[in-house]
Amino acid sequence: MTGKQTNCKPPECHLHLHLRWADNPYVSGTVHTKDTAPGLIMGAGNLGSQLVEYKEEMYITSDCGKTWRQVFEEEHHILYLDHGGVIVAIKDTSIPLKILKFSVDEGYSWSVHNFTSTSVFVDGLLSEPGDETLVMTVFGHISYRSEWELVKVDFRPSFFRECTEEDYESWNLSNLQGERCIMGQQRSFRKRKTSSWCIKGKSFTSALTSRICQCESTDYVCDYGFEQEVTQKQTSRCFADFWFNPEAPPDDCTVGQTYTSTTGYRKVVSNVCEGGIDLQENLARYQCPLIAPKGLRITIKGDSMAVKPGEDITFIVRQDQGDILNTKYQVDLGDGFKAIYVNLTLMGEPIRHRYETPGIYRVSVKAENVAGHDEAIIYVQVITPLQALHLEVVPVVGRNQEVNLSAVIQPSNANLSVYYWWIGNNPQPFLTLDSYLLTRFGEAGEFRVTVQVVYWNSMLQDSKVVRVFNEFQVVPLTFSKHLDTYNPNIPEWREDIGQIVTRLLAKETNIPEQTLVAVVKPGLPTSADLYLLPPANQPKRKRSVPADKRTSVIKQALNAHNITFFLRGGFWVLVTLSDSESESRTIGGAGGYWAIVIIFAICLVAVGAFILYKFKRKMPGRNVYAQMHNEKEQEMTSPVNHSEDTQNIIQGEEFIDDDMDTQTLGHARAGNHSGVVLSINSREMHNYLVS
């Protein structure tokens, strides 16, 4: 910058330039050159042993890189005007500017110009309409909220005349060794003298002469698969690398065609030399042999590895190497479909198929000819979207007691499902690949538990409320074997049976229903737990039972055989107390063990005596439970939102008759029975007959 020589000398020191392209198309990159200004290059970099990222000093050359001069200490945006006759530079900075620098002598001297009275953030530079003019536009903004500001800068008034032939001088392009044949040709250009202050104009042409050179060994480089070896006489030759076979046919070579091998040399790209030394002569020509298939691949259009039953899927088969015309392709789609194709990869036609049954299918393609074979395999999963989800959890637990949260989904074979578990007010869900989660509640209260299941492109959720107490009693219940016949072992049926037992005991014993919860356990034989909860702080109902006398009242009611209801098909259900146990179990406090056994005494009753309450179920294989809801809408929410209310999304078939008639009978004395109809299920169509 001061006109003094640097102390930078090879091999310890070089000029290093950043070759970084600008993200903004309206500013120059770190290296700026134009074909309208031959030999003129400006770049950002540094002097030293290596390139330094944070140093971006500006350097310029006017002789195509033979000599360089430093012009700025920081990076600038560059714009060439009038075929390089005017060089404009604006500092690359994030602060607003109002000055620019320009040079008319190829960067030997620079002038400063205030292009605006108000500083602007510069967004870009444009020349109008091209590099041959002297008019430019600076566009930017005064603030980040303002509109664009466009400032037009016209350098024409600075020049008083157009250039003549006396203002130009000849310049011959050569390399550092002085050789003029560059890329196979000699070229001469005319450049404006640095002392001339004139306009080149739109009609200016820089090229003077161009002559094609004869080819020399320096116009060739080693071909693909070859390396350069320098001999003792400082001459070089190209030899084949150990992994490369020069006589091997190309990948697209087919039987009946010919190919030429390589001598190890090729002409430099864009080199236009002619005649002279030809290192590519005497190329041998060979017949294409039959090549075994190699690089066989199967892909699915759309890159989806899972489809629904009955959905179209498209397979695309490609082959990287080997003969195609004489190769047969054996296709097996995994569901019994097999076929043999010819020219499958040559024609590029896809294979369309449709799977009807869910499962995982192995799709294979075998390409085979006389020379050899290759095989490709891919797996396709045919899935049925999630249809139903039910969260199963014990509604009452003790503080710090381990709780099992289980998600029951349909179809049950939905592999690779992801489960999100939201517990209480915790904003972060638990993520599992299993359909269950073991957890504990450290505080007493009510906690909402929500599970969301994501299976490919479908998602369902269900939610339940868990009540946590410091102390409560648990009464184990067992059922007679007759109930197992009607047990489909699904969550909805267990919930309804539990509500039946809860409502019957609450009605007969005058114990508040909110303090009784009967929960039927999964599996066979059918069993349940009766939870006796602490009473809430609320006014007592008339004739309500004190908390400390509830167990004795329940025992008395069951021993008196005062609780019965009726099943469809003529079966009376009698609820009694077993004599095998005598204590109840207390969670969080003292107590022993006490068991109530609900025995279903089955007796046949005349159909004409009264209209029986009916259960109605569909029994395909005794495992499909009848639907108990009319219409339920499924709610889908994001796995990151737990604040919204959720609802049960399991759908089934209606299983409770809602057209039941009622009849009042006498009390249960000497075979005479009287009964009332109670609504013992939260759903409106559920009615139960209680004696």
Side-chain angles (χ1 to χ4, degrees), residues 87-261:
I87 306 174
V88 180
I90 292 184
K91 188 176 181 180
D92 181 13
T93 180
S94 58
I95 62 176
L97 302 172
K98 58 180 177 181
I99 65 170
L100 58 79
K101 304 170 186 177
F102 68 95
S103 174
V104 296
D105 55 2
E106 297 181 340
Y108 284 96
S109 62
W110 293 86
S111 302
V112 178
H113 172 67
N114 287 317
F115 64 90
T116 178
S117 58
T118 304
S119 298
V120 298
F121 295 94
V122 177
D123 293 323
L125 307 176
L126 291 175
S127 58
E128 301 176 355
D131 298 333
E132 69 273 6
T133 68
L134 283 168
V135 181
M136 64 169 291
T137 300
V138 180
F139 67 92
H141 54 279
I142 298 178
S143 67
Y144 289 107
R145 296 184 178 180
S146 65
E147 300 291 336
W148 272 4
E149 299 286 336
L150 293 106
V151 181
K152 185 176 182 180
V153 182
D154 190 356
F155 289 93
R156 289 176 297 182
S158 300
F159 298 89
F160 302 102
R161 64 182 181 88
E162 293 189 358
C163 297
T164 62
E165 291 296 328
E166 288 76 15
D167 296 311
Y168 298 103
E169 60 184 359
S170 176
W171 172 64
N172 297 323
L173 178 63
S174 62
N175 59 16
L176 295 177
Q177 289 75 30
E179 299 173 349
R180 293 191 57 192
C181 283
I182 307 297
M183 297 297 289
Q185 60 179 327
Q186 291 183 359
R187 286 179 291 179
S188 297
F189 301 90
R190 62 175 182 171
K191 301 178 65 176
R192 191 183 65 184
K193 297 178 182 179
T194 56
S195 59
S196 296
W197 192 285
C198 58
I199 302 175
K200 297 181 181 180
K202 296 182 178 180
S203 59
F204 171 77
T205 56
S206 59
L208 282 178
T209 60
S210 177
R211 185 178 65 86
I212 301 299
C213 301
Q214 287 189 342
C215 295
E216 299 180 359
S217 59
T218 56
D219 295 318
Y220 293 87
V221 294
C222 293
D223 201 357
Y224 174 80
F226 288 80
E227 292 186 5
Q228 190 176 37
E229 180 185 33
V230 179
T231 63
Q232 295 180 353
K233 298 181 180 181
Q234 297 299 318
T235 59
S236 62
R237 69 179 185 90
C238 297
F239 66 95
D241 210 338
F242 69 94
W243 52 267
F244 183 73
N245 181 11
E247 298 180 358
D251 295 338
D252 56 351
C253 192
T254 58
V255 177
Q257 297 178 345
T258 61
Y259 71 97
T260 57
S261 63

Side-chain angles (χ1 to χ4, degrees), residues 480 482 565 571-576 598-603:
S480 67
H482 306 290
F565 58 90
F571 299 111
W572 276 102
V573 179
L574 176 64
V575 183
T576 61
I598 300 180
I599 300 178
F600 290 81
I602 303 177
C603 58

